[in-house]
Amino acid sequence: ADSCEFGSTKYFALCGLGGILSCGITHTAIVPLDLVKCRIQVNPAKYKSVVNGFKVTLKEDGTRGLAKGWAPTFYGYSMQPSFKFGLYEVFKVFYSDLLGEENSYVWRTSLYLAASASAEFFADIALSPMEAAKVRIQTQPGFVNTLRAAMPLMYKDEGLGGFYKGLVPLWMRQIPYTMMKFACFEKTIELLYKYVVPKPRSECTKGEQLIVTFAAGYIAGVFCAIVSHPADTVVSKLNQEKGSTALEAAKKLGMAGLWKGLAPRIVMIGTLTAAQWFIYDAVKVWLRLPRPPPPEMPESLKRKLAAKEHFKLLIEALQNLPFKKKATMDE
């Protein structure tokens, strides 16, 4: 039996917990790849490729250098997804209630986009300070190596605004990313069960359902990486250089520079997104949360469409009768 009612406060809170577990673990696990990606973005002359980036980092900082920024990554990407996943479920139910059952089905992709964008807006406010500290630690030469040393130093140099100067480009990166992440995932799940999986979701085991979740998550992750990459590059450059603006950072990077590091980011985000959705869905199974199947057309809408089709056929039949003047649709 389900441990709570769908749409209840407990349900939303446990969804937030699932977000913490799915994102905090996965983002921290790929810190070395994220570090190299950020360094390629801000200093492509020195870090020419992923392999070269790892070699240079190991040579200069040793193995421990690959873990730089793990603490702000862990804390930042534990706080952010608690809002992202929890509020996504909240806004999805809220917007669905506003639209009604039929419109929620017809406009379901727009509903996913609106709910995910709304959730990410608040989630990035929680992420911004940790993201600023992470990028400084990973990319600014001579900067401190730990979060507990970085936070007071950043506050002393730039005040509270230093933690949020990258918030707008962070929104530019994360909101399109999250909209793609959730909408693409939801639609891919729907299409996989409709055209690829040989049996209905209700007949699949929990393990089979989680495999479908992983596949849909990876597909969504590839699109996420491409959509959000230019803004991600700007965030990295912006937090590396004091006093610069997002527009100045973008101009300095140029069009080619905005796409530096895309290949490792596709690998990173694709794997990351797939793992996140897998863990998130596994947590829902573990906690016995309600997991509604992919949306189906409401019976009331089916009847309306059937009636509309019958009316259309009737009009066509009338138009084919030997009247002196053929009936029009209005008539």
Side-chain angles (χ1 to χ4, degrees):
D2 293 336
S3 62
C4 60
E5 184 182 352
F6 177 79
S8 64
T9 302
K10 182 180 178 180
Y11 172 78
F12 295 136
L14 291 177
C15 286
L17 174 62
I20 293 172
L21 295 174
S22 66
C23 295
I25 294 169
T26 52
H27 273 279
T28 306
I30 60 164
V31 162
L33 182 59
D34 182 48
L35 179 141
V36 171
K37 182 267 300 178
C38 287
R39 290 182 171 181
I40 291 172
Q41 289 174 327
V42 301
N43 194 353
K46 182 176 180 180
Y47 303 95
K48 297 177 175 62
S49 66
V50 178
V51 175
N52 176 259
F54 273 105
K55 285 182 179 178
V56 173
T57 301
L58 286 169
K59 184 179 179 180
E60 293 183 350
D61 303 325
T63 307
R64 289 173 65 98
L66 291 174
K68 274 188 176 182
W70 75 267
T73 298
F74 175 75
Y75 291 115
Y77 285 96
S78 293
M79 293 186 294
Q80 183 224 28
S82 65
F83 289 95
K84 177 188 291 189
F85 284 87
L87 289 180
Y88 172 70
E89 301 287 355
V90 171
F91 281 116
K92 192 164 68 166
V93 170
F94 176 70
Y95 292 146
S96 181
D97 289 343
L98 286 179
L99 290 171
E101 185 183 27
E102 292 181 7
N103 286 330
S104 293
Y105 176 79
V106 174
W107 298 100
R108 59 192 182 281
T109 302
S110 298
L111 188 151
Y112 304 146
L113 292 170
S116 56
S118 302
E120 188 61 37
F121 177 86
F122 295 100
D124 288 341
I125 296 173
L127 173 64
S128 186
M130 294 297 163
E131 181 74 5
K134 175 186 80 74
V135 174
R136 288 282 186 85
I137 291 170
Q138 291 180 337
T139 64
Q140 191 169 306
F143 197 67
V144 295
N145 293 325
T146 64
L147 177 63
R148 64 177 178 271
M151 298 297 275
L153 188 60
M154 291 172 65
Y155 183 76
K156 181 182 177 182
D157 288 346
E158 300 180 71
L160 191 62
F163 297 114
Y164 289 98
K165 74 173 187 176
L167 180 58
V168 172
L170 194 61
W171 276 330
M172 292 169 62
R173 180 189 82 182
Q174 288 296 125
I175 289 178
Y177 165 85
T178 301
M179 291 170 72
M180 183 65 72
K181 176 178 181 174
F182 282 85
C184 187
F185 173 79
E186 299 269 20
K187 289 298 292 183
T188 304
I189 281 283
E190 185 179 334
L191 294 172
L192 286 175
Y193 278 112
K194 188 173 183 179
Y195 296 110
V196 179
V197 181
K199 53 186 176 181
R201 180 179 179 271
S202 58
E203 296 177 13
C204 295
T205 64
K206 292 291 192 294
E208 290 170 338
Q209 291 177 20
L210 290 174
I211 291 171
V212 176
T213 296
F214 184 86
Y218 207 102
I219 293 168
V222 172
F223 287 101
C224 289
I226 296 170
V227 165
S228 62
H229 189 73
D232 178 67
T233 307
V234 170
V235 170
S236 297
K237 191 70 174 175
L238 190 64
N239 284 313
Q240 183 206 28
E241 299 180 353
K242 291 183 182 180
S244 63
T245 65
L247 189 59
E248 289 169 352
K251 285 182 178 179
K252 189 177 291 186
L253 287 163
M255 184 56 69
L258 288 172
W259 294 98
K260 286 286 185 181
L262 178 60
R265 192 157 188 269
I266 285 177
V267 174
M268 182 180 80
I269 296 300
T271 306
L272 194 70
T273 305
Q276 286 172 359
W277 278 116
F278 182 87
I279 295 171
Y280 180 65
D281 211 22
V283 169
K284 279 188 168 183
V285 171
W286 174 50
L287 296 175
R288 294 184 292 111
L289 297 185
R291 297 165 63 244
E296 295 182 358
M297 186 181 294
E299 288 300 322
S300 59
L301 185 58
K302 288 180 181 178
R303 290 193 294 270
K304 286 181 181 179
L305 292 176
K308 186 177 179 181
E309 184 63 26
H310 290 155
F311 180 72
K312 182 181 176 182
L313 293 173
L314 177 62
I315 292 299
E316 289 176 354
L318 290 172
Q319 288 177 331
N320 290 328
L321 291 174
F323 293 146
K324 291 182 179 179
K325 178 185 176 185
K326 291 185 176 180
T328 64
M329 286 293 290
D330 289 338
E331 291 169 337

